[in-house]
Amino acid sequence: MTYTHLSQCLDDLERHGQLVRIDQEIDPHLEMGAIQRRVFQAGGPALLFTRVKGCSFPMAGNIFGTVDRIRFIFRKTLPRVRRVLAAKADPSVLLKRPWQVPSLALAAYHALPRKVFTGPILEHETTLSDLPQLVSWPMDGGPYVTLPQVYTHSPQRPGMRFSNMGMYRVQLAGNEFVPNKEVGLHYQICRGIGVHHAEAIEKSQALRVNIFVGGPPAMTLAAIMPLPENLPELFFAGMLAGHRIPMVTRSGHLPMPAQADFCISGIVDPHAQKPEGPFGDHLGYYSLTHPFPVLKVTSVLHRPHAIWPFTTVGRPPQEDTIFGTFIHELTRDLVPTVFSGIHQVHAVDAAGVHPLLLALGSERYVPYAPVRKPRELVTNGLALLGSTQTSLAKYLFIAAREDDLSLSCHHVPAFFRHVLERLDPTRDLHFVTKTTMDTLDYSGTGLNEGSKVMWTVAGPPVNRLATQLPTRFHLPGAFTNPRVFEPGMLVIQGPRHQLPRDTADPLVDVLCNTLQSQGDDFGFPLLVIVDDPDFTTRTWDNFLWVTFTRSDPATDIYGVGSFIRCKHWGCTGPVIIDARIKSFHAPLLDPDPAIEKKVDALGAPGGPLHGII
């Protein structure tokens, strides 16, 4: 079955036992987000909240809460989309399977939007304050749209052919926004809307923006797809939806999906900014208040019986984790066509996606060399850090596929063990400093600023990975509680961090000198300093989250026997990552205990979530 609008999808999920209605009144301020997160963690169904406190519109959450449910929603069109992507990855497939050509032609036809003169979205108008006011976390700066489809045209090449549609944060109220007149538009670096905004600034003209909510589920998925700049997300949505997306245009406005549930229209003045945030984000911390573009709203439209879809984000895994898993499933065969020499990539969700990227590449530059060492891998790594969404990676670990054909960068423990067995810290770490980094990452030297590092390994194992501390091992007084996490990986507790941003810690230098006095090789190529070793070593997810969200490579990587030679940094002994919470880091996301008790009551016998959470 294909869906032209959201209600069809929700009705279908309900018929198949994959949606639960909650008919008692639920507050969108904290309570609804907490419910959605708990049901997601339990692997539960989609949720339809029919009585939303303070709002006449129903809300739907956890729609995309499992990969199986996404596959179910797109069960009719996924085989065709997969064939299109397979043909993109290997065009010779059309010669091998010519009977697939008509199916691919139909997919291409569905990709083209269809212009219409009217549609349900034009039937009703409302105000920003009458929309659902979802607040997910206690310190959020106001209500947010959490599944928006933010749509713009290129000012230099207007039209749907050069449109962009992305899922950028939209703050509906709070801070300095004029009530019912303005919303905050927070987009991170390396996003398509930024290109359009830059063009508008260059031409000194306002940028028109439409924010769609709901509509065909394919529109939501398309808004988060990492597509090439020459392929509009709107076109991909048509392929995934299995029909041409009908787009209706009002005079003086951008097109909008005729079947959208809501559309917020407005303009961004070239240089207008206002404070936006804070907001509980997908790294597991709050992103704080900063100036971002402000959208001056000209209209808020909705279809009859409109439903407001939403999600909440927080420390992974969350519903956006499922989006990432599904996208990888769709696009994994395209990786070698985008990055020559790269066979596999994994943006690690447990580490907040952008902080940690694992990759498998080829090392073929000098096949006759008596010693294999990273050469092509460095080129491949620079390509990953130089284009598309992988350019936001902060830590890149890249290994040569030829050294172990069974290795997968999706098997994280095995991948780390492979890397540490082969790491030569005198040559294999490559830093990029004073560069851009993810807008949501507060570990760097400033907003959007920080560093990156590549760990490149090739060749046979050269390190013995220990599982026990040597008898001679000891730490200086400021550091305590050493824990062996995995072979070759040691976690220790450090003192509370109290230094300013962009400052190395002399206490860690003392640690390095103490370890060097005990000999360079004690079987632990990687040592991580944390605030709480018990928590960090409890699970791999905890280790990845702590280590890679709380450190900036150039500031927080140290080494035993470190040196700089011809501008290259290296060390002779273990690499040390300082992953303590820094004095300047954003606050952690902590749920409201009173709200959690309310959610517990919904899961008690007789409650609508009994047996689900």
Side-chain angles (χ1 to χ4, degrees):
M1 181 176 183
T2 60
Y3 314 112
T4 59
H5 56 84
L6 179 60
S7 291
Q8 289 179 333
C9 174
L10 299 180
D11 290 344
D12 192 33
L13 290 176
E14 187 172 31
R15 283 194 301 271
H16 287 83
Q18 298 193 50
L19 179 142
V20 168
R21 289 175 179 261
I22 299 181
D23 293 325
Q24 67 187 75
E25 186 178 70
I26 300 295
D27 195 336
H29 184 87
L30 301 182
E31 186 178 0
M32 194 172 293
I35 292 170
Q36 186 269 327
R37 292 192 296 272
R38 291 276 290 277
V39 172
F40 167 79
Q41 295 293 341
L47 303 167
L48 180 61
F49 299 90
T50 60
R51 293 176 56 204
V52 178
K53 185 176 181 179
C55 180
S56 61
F57 297 107
M59 297 175 67
N62 208 42
I63 300 168
F64 307 100
T66 70
V67 173
D68 285 343
R69 187 148 62 244
I70 295 182
R71 293 185 190 126
F72 175 83
I73 290 171
F74 300 110
R75 62 194 182 278
K76 179 77 172 179
T77 58
L78 265 181
R80 187 181 301 138
V81 171
R82 288 193 176 106
R83 285 195 289 270
V84 170
L85 296 177
K88 169 73 174 172
D90 180 11
S92 69
V93 74
L94 299 181
L95 298 177
K96 301 172 185 174
R97 303 168 190 164
W99 59 87
Q100 292 186 359
V101 171
S103 175
L104 300 182
L106 182 60
Y109 175 72
H110 287 157
L112 301 174
R114 178 167 59 92
K115 294 182 179 180
V116 297
F117 296 101
T118 189
I121 188 59
L122 300 178
E123 294 190 25
H124 297 285
E125 190 159 2
T126 187
T127 64
L128 292 173
S129 59
D130 286 335
L131 297 175
Q133 306 292 296
L134 179 76
V135 177
S136 301
W137 294 98
M139 288 174 55
D140 280 0
Y144 282 85
V145 187
T146 55
L147 286 178
Q149 307 151 33
V150 182
Y151 181 82
T152 56
H153 281 184
S154 165
Q156 293 182 359
R157 296 180 292 179
M160 289 185 275
R161 175 66 183 83
F162 299 101
S163 64
N164 174 260
M165 186 172 68
M167 194 166 286
Y168 314 124
R169 203 161 84 201
V170 176
Q171 184 174 350
L172 290 174
N175 297 347
E176 300 173 14
F177 301 123
V178 178
N180 284 316
K181 298 292 185 182
E182 295 177 339
V183 300
L185 186 57
H186 176 295
Y187 63 84
Q188 297 160 253
I189 60 172
C190 192
R191 296 296 192 267
I193 191 176
V195 176
H196 291 176
H197 196 184
E199 292 175 2
I201 292 172
E202 183 180 354
K203 296 168 73 71
S204 296
Q205 71 180 47
L207 178 68
R208 292 197 175 275
V209 178
N210 274 351
I211 300 167
F212 317 136
V213 182
M219 293 285 286
T220 300
L221 263 295
I224 58 174
M225 284 293 293
L227 300 174
E229 285 190 24
N230 60 353
L231 177 59
E233 291 81 6
L234 182 59
F235 289 23
F236 182 83
M239 281 199 298
L240 190 59
H243 65 267
R244 300 176 67 189
I245 302 294
M247 301 291 288
V248 60
T249 304
R250 294 192 304 164
S251 177
H253 290 73
L254 293 177
M256 64 190 82
Q259 297 286 352
D261 284 77
F262 299 86
C263 179
I264 303 170
S265 297
I267 58 173
V268 175
D269 289 340
H271 301 286
Q273 295 181 12
K274 285 192 174 184
E276 184 270 355
F279 181 73
D281 228 314
H282 71 259
L283 267 69
Y285 310 87
Y286 286 95
S287 55
L288 303 179
T289 304
H290 299 284
F292 277 95
V294 57
L295 180 74
K296 297 185 181 299
V297 175
T298 55
S299 67
V300 182
L301 304 177
H302 69 90
R303 65 177 293 128
H305 310 294
I307 298 172
W308 185 270
F310 77 95
T311 189
T312 61
V313 293
R315 181 193 161 186
Q318 300 289 345
E319 189 173 6
D320 55 355
T321 300
I322 305 302
F323 287 140
T325 302
F326 179 72
I327 289 170
H328 168 73
E329 184 181 283
L330 274 183
T331 61
R332 60 189 169 199
D333 292 337
L334 292 176
V335 169
T337 70
V338 178
F339 301 106
S340 178
I342 296 293
H343 306 285
Q344 211 180 85
V345 295
H346 179 198
V348 181
D349 183 74
V353 181
H354 294 315
L356 177 61
L357 181 68
L358 310 182
L360 282 175
S362 288
E363 186 49 69
R364 303 163 297 186
Y365 275 5
V366 191
Y368 50 81
V371 177
R372 283 173 52 79
K373 61 182 180 179
R375 292 182 173 94
E376 184 179 3
L377 290 179
V378 176
T379 302
N380 293 339
L382 291 173
L384 286 168
L385 294 179
S387 63
T388 72
Q389 295 297 305
T390 60
S391 67
L392 293 175
K394 181 170 61 172
Y395 284 85
L396 168 60
F397 288 69
I398 182 168
R401 184 180 68 164
E402 294 84 357
D403 293 330
D404 183 354
L405 295 178
S406 67
L407 186 66
S408 168
C409 56
H410 292 275
H411 299 153
V412 175
F415 190 88
F416 267 82
R417 182 165 190 157
H418 177 97
V419 168
L420 293 179
E421 285 177 336
R422 290 160 176 79
L423 179 70
D424 180 348
T426 66
R427 72 178 188 208
D428 290 344
L429 274 69
H430 308 274
F431 289 84
V432 181
T433 61
K434 301 296 183 184
T435 188
T436 55
M437 68 187 301
D438 185 8
T439 305
L440 306 179
D441 192 327
Y442 282 84
S443 66
T445 53
L447 185 67
N448 295 322
E449 296 175 355
S451 63
K452 303 177 186 298
V453 65
M454 292 190 298
W455 303 51
T456 58
V457 298
V462 294
N463 297 315
R464 172 189 62 88
L465 302 186
T467 58
Q468 292 183 336
L469 288 172
T471 54
R472 68 180 185 278
F473 180 82
H474 65 274
L475 296 169
F479 300 91
T480 60
N481 201 8
R483 299 290 183 87
V484 176
F485 173 58
E486 288 279 320
M489 304 169 73
L490 186 65
V491 174
I492 67 171
Q493 184 170 343
R496 181 179 178 184
H497 186 274
Q498 297 179 321
L499 296 171
R501 188 185 294 275
D502 201 16
T503 305
D505 190 342
L507 284 177
V508 184
D509 291 329
V510 172
L511 171 65
C512 292
N513 292 335
T514 300
L515 294 178
Q516 188 171 21
S517 69
Q518 300 170 47
D520 289 341
D521 180 19
F522 62 95
F524 293 94
L526 176 61
L527 188 152
V528 182
I529 306 169
V530 302
D531 299 296
D532 185 348
D534 291 341
F535 173 81
T536 304
T537 58
R538 193 170 300 150
T539 65
W540 262 98
D541 281 359
N542 287 0
F543 174 83
L544 296 170
W545 183 58
V546 168
T547 302
F548 298 105
T549 65
R550 300 180 183 179
S551 61
D552 171 67
T555 307
D556 295 321
I557 287 183
Y558 302 77
V560 174
S562 64
F563 61 85
I564 297 175
R565 184 174 301 128
C566 299
K567 311 298 189 297
H568 175 79
W569 183 94
C571 62
T572 59
V575 177
I576 298 175
I577 299 177
D578 181 1
R580 292 172 292 174
I581 294 178
K582 307 304 189 294
S583 61
F584 47 84
H585 277 184
L588 290 163
L589 295 182
D590 288 321
D592 184 317
I595 295 296
E596 295 301 317
K597 286 184 179 179
K598 281 188 173 184
V599 179
D600 290 340
L602 295 173
L609 298 179
H610 179 60
I612 296 176
I613 61 173

